[in-house]
Amino acid sequence: MLDFGLAKHQADDPTKNEDENDSMKDQKEKKKPYALQKPANTALRQQRLKAWHPILSHSTVLPILFGMGVFFAVLGGVMYWSSVRVNELTIEYSSCRDEAPQSGPPENIPSKYYKYRFHSKHDLKNMQPPQWSAERIQPGPGRENNPARYRCTVSFSIPEQLDPGVFLYYKLTNFYQNHRRYMKSMDYLQLLNKPRTADELQSDQCKPLGRDPHTNLAVYPCGLIANSVFNDTFASPIMLDESGKEISTYNMSEKNIIWQSEYKHYKTPTYNASEIVPPPYWQGAEGPFGYPSGRYEEGKVFDPSKNEHFQVWMRTAAFPHFRKLYMRNDNDPMTVGRYSIEIKDNYPVNMFHGTKAIVLSTASWVGGRSIVMGASHIAVAALCFLLGFALTGMQLARPRRVGDTRYLSWNNPPKQRT
C-alpha cells in the first residue's frame, strides 16, 4: 500500500523525475575515462626536467673517497689540536664538608678528586697539590632546624698562564635534566608575566608543583626545574703568596653567561607577593634562591629576568653529566701562581648519588676541551681511506669492465658502427 502511494505521487509530479534524470546525466558526462585522467603535459608534471645523474664507477668513486678522507683527516687533526690546547682544571668538592678539615691548616685533596689537563707538559708531582678546608656556617635565628651549611675553601696552583677568556663552570654528575617529565615541568607564560592561576598551573605542565598544598597559592616560578635550581655560590679566585697571604683578586663576572636569545623568555613579574609563594625547596632555605620565611615579601619577589644563573639552569642539559657556566673573565689573563676559591656548599647531591665540581677552563674556536669532535672527524677519514683501499684492491685483483655509458641515454642512442 505504501509503495503504491509513493509511485502514484511520483507519477503525479513528472517534473521532479525529469530533474533527477538530468542531474544523473550531467554527472555521467562530467566523469572522464580513466585513460584521460593524467597530469598536464608539462616538463614538471611529466618529470622531464633536466637532471644530472652521476655514474658510479671506480674512476669516480675512488677519487671521491680518498678526497673525503684527506679533507676529514685535515679538519679532524686541526680540531683535535685546537681542543687539546685548551687548559682545564677540575676539582670535585662533593666530599669537602665530610673529608676536609674544619679546624687547623688545610689538607691536600686526594688525587681522585682533581685533574689537570694542560697542553704543555708539567711535572705535576713536584707541584703543590690542591688543598681544601671546610667551615660550618651557623644558621640564623629561627632556622636552627635547617640543614647544616658549609663554606669550603679550595686552593690550587696554575702552572702556566691562562689567556683570556677564562671560564669557571660547575659540573654535576648523575643528574638527569634530560628526563622527559622534568624537561616539561615549567610554564613559559608564567615566566613571561602572563596571568596564570594556581589551578591552571596545577593542571598543566607544572603539576605537582603548580599550587602550594598549604596555602593553595600559585607557586612562582613553578615546576621541577625551578624547584631544583643549583644554589652553590663561588667567589672570584684570590691569588696567594708563598705563605698563603692574599695578594690580589682575579675578578670574574657573573654577567653575560647566557645565550643571547635566552633573556627573551623572561619578564619582570608584576604579581602581588600575597598571591604567590616560592617553590618548596626555596622556602626556609638560605642563599641566592632562599626565602627563610617561606613567603615572598612586597618588593622582593624573585625576578628571573635579572638572574642569569637561573636562566642558565633552566636551559636543561642533554646528558646526565654536564657543566654550566657560572662566571667568566674575557679581558685579563690568569697568571701563574697559587689561588683559592671560596665555595658556599648548599646544594645536596647525595640524594641522587651524584657529584659536583668546579671547572676552570679556557676555550678555543671549537669550544672547550673535548676531543670528541676531532676524533669523530678522524674516524670518518679512516673509514673513507679503508673503503678506498678495499675497493682499489678489489679492482686490481678482479677488475670489472666498464660499459659504454653512451648507451644509458635512451633519448639519443649512439649510431651503429659500419
Side-chain angles (χ1 to χ4, degrees):
M1 190 70 181
L2 293 174
D3 294 340
F4 175 77
L6 179 60
K8 183 178 180 181
H9 176 72
Q10 291 178 351
D12 294 340
D13 192 4
T15 59
K16 184 176 181 180
N17 294 335
E18 292 177 0
D19 293 340
E20 292 178 356
N21 294 333
D22 292 340
S23 62
M24 294 177 63
K25 290 180 180 179
D26 293 339
Q27 291 179 0
K28 290 181 179 179
E29 290 176 359
K30 290 180 180 179
K31 188 175 181 181
K32 296 181 180 180
Y34 180 79
L36 298 179
Q37 297 177 15
K38 62 181 181 180
N41 189 19
T42 61
L44 177 62
R45 301 291 295 274
Q46 295 295 338
Q47 299 184 10
R48 292 196 303 267
L49 292 175
K50 294 183 179 180
W52 176 72
H53 300 279
I55 300 173
L56 301 179
S57 62
H58 63 272
S59 59
T60 57
V61 173
L62 293 179
I64 292 175
L65 284 175
F66 286 114
M68 291 177 60
V70 172
F71 172 77
F72 280 102
V74 173
L75 180 60
V78 172
M79 296 176 70
Y80 183 88
W81 176 81
S82 300
S83 178
V84 296
R85 288 184 62 84
V86 173
N87 297 320
E88 185 177 281
L89 168 63
T90 304
I91 300 177
E92 180 187 326
Y93 66 95
S94 309
S95 305
C96 182
R97 61 172 63 190
D98 299 323
E99 300 184 24
Q102 298 186 22
S103 61
E107 295 181 357
N108 293 342
I109 300 177
S111 59
K112 63 180 179 180
Y113 292 145
Y114 67 89
K115 183 182 297 184
Y116 280 91
R117 291 180 176 177
F118 285 78
H119 72 272
S120 299
K121 294 182 178 180
H122 300 278
D123 189 2
L124 300 179
K125 294 182 179 180
N126 296 329
M127 187 175 63
Q128 186 178 359
Q131 295 180 325
W132 59 9
S133 62
E135 177 187 358
R136 180 168 180 171
I137 303 175
Q138 297 298 330
R143 296 188 291 273
E144 290 79 5
N145 295 329
N146 286 4
R149 300 171 61 236
Y150 289 84
R151 181 185 294 110
C152 182
T153 303
V154 176
S155 61
F156 54 89
S157 298
I158 299 297
E160 66 177 81
Q161 178 173 297
L162 304 181
D163 296 328
V166 180
F167 305 93
L168 181 68
Y169 302 87
Y170 61 87
K171 179 181 178 181
L172 293 179
T173 63
N174 207 38
F175 193 105
Y176 287 82
Q177 271 197 319
N178 56 358
H179 192 281
R180 181 184 61 84
R181 185 67 186 88
Y182 182 90
M183 294 177 64
K184 294 172 61 178
S185 186
M186 62 182 300
D187 191 277
Y188 291 100
L189 294 178
Q190 187 193 46
L191 296 175
L192 288 172
N193 195 33
K194 304 294 182 181
R196 301 286 283 168
T197 64
D199 293 336
E200 290 175 338
L201 297 174
Q202 185 69 9
S203 60
D204 208 345
Q205 303 290 358
C206 282
K207 184 181 180 181
L209 297 181
R211 179 176 55 207
D212 184 67
H214 305 290
T215 62
N216 288 328
L217 297 177
V219 177
Y220 180 83
C222 69
L224 297 172
I225 308 178
N227 187 53
S228 60
V229 64
F230 186 81
N231 63 345
D232 282 3
T233 60
F234 310 96
S236 294
I238 298 175
M239 191 173 187
L240 309 175
D241 60 11
E242 295 181 358
S243 61
K245 274 188 176 183
E246 299 181 1
I247 300 177
S248 60
T249 300
Y250 182 73
N251 293 311
M252 303 187 76
S253 174
E254 299 179 25
K255 301 296 182 182
N256 300 322
I257 59 175
I258 59 173
W259 294 352
Q260 295 181 355
S261 60
E262 285 187 329
Y263 72 95
K264 300 178 182 179
H265 302 300
Y266 306 91
K267 299 293 183 183
T268 300
T270 57
Y271 301 110
N272 294 327
S274 59
E275 300 174 347
I276 54 178
V277 295
Y281 284 174
W282 298 19
Q283 300 176 16
E286 300 182 23
F289 300 99
Y291 292 85
S293 65
R295 295 295 298 272
Y296 285 124
E297 300 177 5
E298 291 296 337
K300 296 184 179 180
V301 175
F302 175 72
D303 188 353
S305 65
K306 297 180 180 178
N307 194 307
E308 294 191 13
H309 294 302
F310 178 80
Q311 298 178 27
V312 169
W313 180 260
M314 294 297 287
R315 185 181 68 243
T316 54
F319 301 99
H321 305 332
F322 59 86
R323 62 179 65 176
K324 292 180 181 288
L325 184 60
Y326 190 87
M327 53 186 174
R328 62 192 298 171
N329 187 319
D330 298 323
N331 303 315
D332 305 319
M334 194 171 190
T335 58
V336 177
R338 189 78 176 175
Y339 293 84
S340 69
I341 292 182
E342 184 180 284
I343 305 170
K344 289 186 178 179
D345 188 355
N346 305 316
Y347 198 76
V349 294
N350 294 331
M351 62 175 64
F352 54 89
H353 306 288
T355 62
K356 54 185 179 179
I358 57 172
V359 181
L360 195 65
S361 175
T362 58
S364 66
W365 65 277
V366 293
R369 188 184 179 93
S370 176
I371 64 173
V372 175
M373 291 293 293
S376 61
H377 284 72
I378 294 175
V380 172
L383 179 61
C384 291
F385 281 121
L386 179 62
L387 293 176
F389 286 121
L391 294 177
T392 301
M394 293 174 60
Q395 182 64 21
L396 294 176
R398 300 181 60 183
R400 292 186 61 185
R401 180 183 175 186
V402 180
D404 192 346
T405 58
R406 294 178 300 168
Y407 286 96
L408 296 177
S409 178
W410 63 271
N411 199 21
N412 296 311
K415 296 180 181 179
Q416 296 291 337
R417 293 182 180 179
T418 59

